[in-house]
Amino acid sequence: MNLILTYYPWITQHKTPQEIRSNIEIFAVALQTELQRPGTNPITIEVAPAMEVPDQIRSISSGESHIALMNPLGFVFARKDNPAVEASAVALRIIDGQVGNQYFAQIYTHIDNQIENVESLKGRSISYGSSQSTSNFIIPAFDLKDLKVHPFAAFKRIEFMGGHDIVAKAVYEKRIESGAGHDGVIIDLANQSGYEDAKSKLVRIHRSDPIPSDPIAVNIPDTDARKFIQEALVRISTIEPARPAIASFWGNAQGLQETNHEPYEYLLNAVSDLGLNQEDIFG
């Protein structure tokens, strides 16, 4: 059995494409080694070239690939296209000093803008990152709408800049007044040269409810094989070389935990509530 593994190019920030791929290949070899136990059918893992999220959705939902390192939004649309796609494992994150299987989105501003809350954003400017991102767009936009601030019409200017780090730099440099991103975006910026004071310059004005972290999705019809792979994923994530590789290519993730599709289902409701569909988001 040869299993194709896919990943999307912006799976983490501040890493070169070569670093990301190298560590994903280390992870894939570790998984392959774990799966090749005596008495089992030989299984190989082949890492496909980096795929943009729409291509990744098509690949795993069609069965061209079998294992996918996905973002939450990509996963729910892959499963919508084909219910055989299941979430097998979830990346564990460090949030507020605790390791868990959730993270959150935030909306933030520069302290000089004197924007104290979401209501004060009306008539100002905002940047989302990618329309394909859960915490860089969908959840912040959904929360704004829920808080009676229209995620599009309430602002004098809106930009989709393309990524968490790009948005954070734009807010820091006052090229735009507010930004959306994941929980660690300000900390990540503060670790970059020239932005060391970001934690004192950028302030959060809204935090979302918890979002399920990035999943590893599988499309493997055989139930026993699917369970075997799920257990192997969790086992290798606790030891070298897979553990540091996962941390490197997946935003300092601290390992993997078993999961399924249920925690992610509400994301489709958020998309629908915004009046969007798959084509709007992914083109």
Side-chain angles (χ1 to χ4, degrees), residues 165-233:
D165 54 338
I166 299 171
V167 173
K169 288 178 181 178
V171 177
Y172 178 94
E173 294 165 2
K174 303 181 188 177
R175 290 184 281 114
I176 199 140
E177 292 172 290
S178 62
H182 61 66
D183 53 89
V185 67
I186 296 173
I187 295 170
D188 284 353
L189 184 64
N191 289 329
Q192 305 305 305
S193 177
Y195 300 93
E196 291 85 355
D197 60 348
K199 287 189 283 187
S200 64
K201 297 293 185 181
L202 302 183
V203 293
R204 181 195 305 156
I205 55 175
H206 174 73
R207 170 176 171 160
S208 76
D209 290 337
I211 305 168
S213 190
D214 292 359
I216 297 180
V218 299
N219 185 355
I220 298 170
D222 184 87
T223 303
D224 291 339
R226 191 164 62 243
K227 183 63 175 177
F228 182 47
I229 290 166
Q230 182 181 51
E231 292 171 348
L233 285 167

Side-chain angles (χ1 to χ4, degrees), residues 104-110 115-122 125-128 135-147 149-151 155 167 171 177-183 185-186 202-208:
F104 61 85
Q106 62 177 319
I107 297 171
Y108 56 94
T109 186
H110 195 288
I115 298 173
E116 297 182 356
N117 51 45
V118 166
E119 180 71 18
S120 303
L121 287 171
K122 291 181 177 179
S125 59
I126 192 169
S127 177
Y128 303 113
S135 60
N136 214 187
F137 172 50
I138 292 296
I139 292 302
F142 175 75
D143 282 1
L144 285 170
K145 187 172 184 293
D146 189 55
L147 293 167
V149 176
H150 195 283
F155 299 94
V167 173
V171 177
E177 292 172 290
S178 62
H182 61 66
D183 53 89
V185 67
I186 296 173
L202 302 183
V203 293
R204 181 195 305 156
I205 55 175
H206 174 73
R207 170 176 171 160
S208 76

Side-chain angles (χ1 to χ4, degrees), residues 13-187:
Q13 282 78 53
H14 312 303
K15 297 283 185 180
T16 66
Q18 293 77 18
E19 286 178 291
I20 292 171
R21 183 168 184 85
S22 175
N23 280 284
I24 289 176
E25 287 177 339
I26 290 170
F27 167 77
V29 170
L31 178 59
Q32 176 177 287
T33 301
E34 184 67 18
L35 295 173
Q36 291 179 344
R37 292 184 169 187
T40 62
N41 293 325
I43 297 176
T44 57
I45 309 293
E46 177 184 343
V47 181
M51 292 183 183
E52 294 297 338
V53 173
D55 295 327
Q56 198 181 25
I57 292 170
R58 178 195 54 77
S59 179
I60 194 162
S61 63
S62 69
E64 289 180 8
S65 60
H66 311 91
I67 303 173
L69 313 178
M70 304 195 80
N71 75 329
L73 197 61
F75 165 68
V76 295
F77 278 110
R79 182 170 173 83
K80 182 174 179 290
D81 289 348
N82 183 355
V85 177
E86 179 60 282
S88 182
V90 57
L92 297 174
R93 306 289 190 188
I94 300 175
I95 306 297
D96 296 334
Q98 301 293 318
V99 176
N101 60 9
Q102 298 174 319
Y103 70 119
F104 61 85
Q106 62 177 319
I107 297 171
Y108 56 94
T109 186
H110 195 288
I111 194 169
D112 291 349
N113 293 327
Q114 298 182 333
I115 298 173
E116 297 182 356
N117 51 45
V118 166
E119 180 71 18
S120 303
L121 287 171
K122 291 181 177 179
R124 313 296 281 267
S125 59
I126 192 169
S127 177
Y128 303 113
S130 166
S131 64
Q132 302 172 11
S133 175
T134 311
S135 60
N136 214 187
F137 172 50
I138 292 296
I139 292 302
F142 175 75
D143 282 1
L144 285 170
K145 187 172 184 293
D146 189 55
L147 293 167
K148 312 303 181 187
V149 176
H150 195 283
F152 309 118
F155 299 94
K156 69 178 180 183
R157 180 163 62 97
I158 301 168
E159 289 190 40
F160 283 85
M161 291 185 170
H164 297 272
D165 54 338
I166 299 171
V167 173
K169 288 178 181 178
V171 177
Y172 178 94
E173 294 165 2
K174 303 181 188 177
R175 290 184 281 114
I176 199 140
E177 292 172 290
S178 62
H182 61 66
D183 53 89
V185 67
I186 296 173
I187 295 170

